Amino acid sequence: MEENRKKVLSCIQPSGMLTLGNYIGALKNWVAMQNEFDCTYAVADLHAITVRQEPAKFRQQIYSTAALLLALGIDPEKNTMFIQSHVAAHSELAWILSCYTQFGELSRMTQFKDKSAKHADNVNVGLFSYPVLMAADILLYQSDLVPVGADQKQHLEIARDIATRFNHVYGDVFTIPEPYIPKIGARVMSLQDPTKKMSKSDENINSWVAILDSKDDIIRKFKRAVTDSDNRICVSEDKPGVSNLIGIYSAVTGKSAEQVTAEFEGKGYGDFKIAVGEAVAEELKPIQERYQTFISDKKQLEDIYRQGDEKAFYAARKTLSKVKKKVGFVL
Ligand code: TRP
């Protein structure tokens, strides 16, 4: 591996079916970034238990997420791909960093406010200190870049603040991470309410497409996608539904919005929606096939993530030892 490559870190929660939004908004870029950067990718199972998970289902989701990352083309030789809870340094560093994080600053996190309103019966301390664990994920690997969507920007900001504060006291311990705004990857909106982000927690299953959905389901969902009444296929602020479909079509075909508009000149929404559905199904088909091979061979899957766990362990241990020494722990 080239030493001078920038280090990228990202994690994904195994909290259910991954969607087309996760794919276009994040995962497609994970695959692209591995050619340019030294990437570390984790399945963030520790973060996922901040909301209740059903154990048997949760275990399946962790396997499924790991298999899907491989199916997407994340190369476990080129990158470090592992399971967060397998590397104890994440929990350890999170504790230490929590002593360098103020109650007030965590209280201001918008995601905490939203989630604690949504899960009012389980406003646990983990939900509150979630950004500290995320800071530990990032800082353990001395990451230069963290690809983040709008919803995680504030969490990266606090990771930077914690790192800066720690370095100020103890010298240069942590690399200060920068946000990385990917070249491709529009924010994918709900197919039923294009003013909202596509989300697997939406009760209306027609509003989102899973990466593992069948071709028929994908096409049916796109056929039902909400558009508007004027039948013009172009990107416009007052046409959020059509703009979203163009964004999706562009992301999977590589065509620009202008090219898409030209391609469907004179055609109706009906044709366009089917074309988007077909293009999405086409893009996902080989991924789904590879997914089946990875998920049906648990032994191979386990070998792969164990190797990743080990690589992550060594990198993380280096930072953690340094932190412990700086703080004054006896080693
Ligand atoms: N909180 C992130 C999410 O829900 C997942 C995550 C955990 C993460 N640790 C991270 C993302 C570190 C980037 C860096 O999307």
Side-chain angles (χ1 to χ4, degrees):
M1 205 170 306
E2 293 162 46
E3 281 301 318
N4 52 5
R5 284 192 184 204
K6 290 215 169 183
K7 295 197 180 107
V8 164
L9 177 123
S10 198
C11 306
I12 187 149
Q13 291 195 46
S15 41
M17 290 266 212
L18 292 172
T19 69
L20 184 65
N22 297 121
Y23 176 64
I24 293 176
L27 297 172
K28 207 169 149 68
N29 278 296
W30 286 24
V31 181
M33 284 185 295
Q34 66 184 347
N35 298 317
E36 201 178 335
F37 304 112
D38 175 2
C39 302
T40 301
Y41 296 132
V43 177
D45 53 351
L46 294 173
H47 277 101
I49 63 163
T50 53
V51 297
R52 269 310 156 257
Q53 303 289 346
E54 202 271 297
K57 211 169 127 210
F58 187 44
R59 191 170 296 119
Q60 273 327 107
Q61 284 166 195
I62 297 169
Y63 282 128
S64 170
T65 305
L68 195 58
L69 294 181
L70 295 168
L72 289 166
I74 306 275
D75 181 344
E77 300 290 328
K78 254 194 219 169
N79 313 289
T80 302
M81 193 201 104
F82 70 104
I83 297 179
Q84 186 191 29
S85 70
H86 293 184
V87 181
H90 290 253
S91 305
E92 283 187 73
L93 183 63
W95 170 257
I96 297 174
L97 295 180
S98 74
C99 301
Y100 298 81
T101 307
Q102 298 302 305
F103 187 87
E105 60 189 338
L106 287 179
S107 312
R108 287 192 291 274
M109 294 289 115
T110 51
Q111 192 174 79
F112 171 68
K113 289 192 242 176
D114 292 349
K115 283 199 185 169
S116 48
K118 206 168 139 198
H119 303 276
D121 57 336
N122 184 21
V123 185
N124 61 77
V125 176
L127 200 59
F128 185 68
S129 61
Y130 177 114
V132 182
L133 178 60
M134 192 163 149
D137 299 339
I138 297 167
L139 302 177
L140 269 177
Y141 301 94
Q142 304 292 349
S143 315
D144 299 295
L145 301 172
V146 180
V148 277
D151 61 331
Q152 298 298 319
K153 238 175 137 189
Q154 204 182 23
H155 292 161
L156 179 60
E157 218 29 70
I158 201 171
R160 287 167 52 87
D161 291 344
I162 296 168
T164 306
R165 189 174 303 148
F166 197 92
N167 284 357
H168 191 72
V169 181
Y170 300 105
D172 271 347
V173 177
F174 297 124
T175 302
I176 309 296
E178 301 281 341
Y180 178 74
I181 312 294
K183 297 183 194 93
I184 38 166
R187 200 161 123 98
V188 177
M189 310 307 279
S190 155
L191 299 182
Q192 293 296 316
D193 176 0
T195 60
K196 284 193 331 207
K197 196 176 150 183
M198 180 179 282
S199 163
K200 62 188 167 242
S201 45
D202 201 315
E203 297 113 47
N204 186 344
I205 57 156
N206 289 317
S207 73
W208 56 277
V209 169
I211 298 178
L212 299 175
D213 269 350
S214 70
K215 181 172 182 176
D216 287 351
D217 282 344
I218 294 172
I219 291 177
R220 180 176 45 81
K221 289 178 185 179
F222 277 103
K223 272 189 187 164
R224 293 193 186 168
V226 167
T227 46
D228 53 48
S229 56
D230 85 356
N231 236 11
R232 273 180 316 120
I233 296 161
C234 63
V235 175
S236 164
E237 233 169 78
D238 60 354
K239 297 167 75 69
V242 177
S243 302
N244 185 38
L245 295 179
I246 294 176
I248 293 169
Y249 192 70
S250 296
V252 297
T253 60
K255 294 174 186 166
S256 69
E258 294 72 34
Q259 285 171 317
V260 180
T261 304
E263 183 179 342
F264 291 95
E265 177 82 65
K267 299 219 173 90
Y269 286 160
D271 290 341
F272 178 54
K273 289 199 269 189
I274 292 172
V276 181
E278 280 178 348
V280 168
E282 189 71 17
E283 166 110 349
L284 297 179
K285 189 169 171 242
I287 297 169
Q288 296 178 348
E289 286 167 0
R290 282 197 300 270
Y291 171 81
Q292 284 312 327
T293 66
F294 286 113
I295 202 68
S296 58
D297 188 348
K298 286 269 163 64
K299 172 77 179 64
Q300 178 191 243
L301 189 61
E302 197 179 314
D303 285 348
I304 294 173
Y305 68 63
R306 292 259 179 257
Q307 260 180 41
D309 294 346
E310 197 167 329
K311 277 200 260 179
F313 169 81
Y314 284 108
R317 189 177 63 173
K318 199 168 156 199
T319 302
L320 187 64
S321 303
K322 197 165 167 188
V323 167
K324 287 181 174 173
K325 206 149 77 192
K326 293 283 187 184
V327 168
F329 290 146
V330 173
L331 297 188

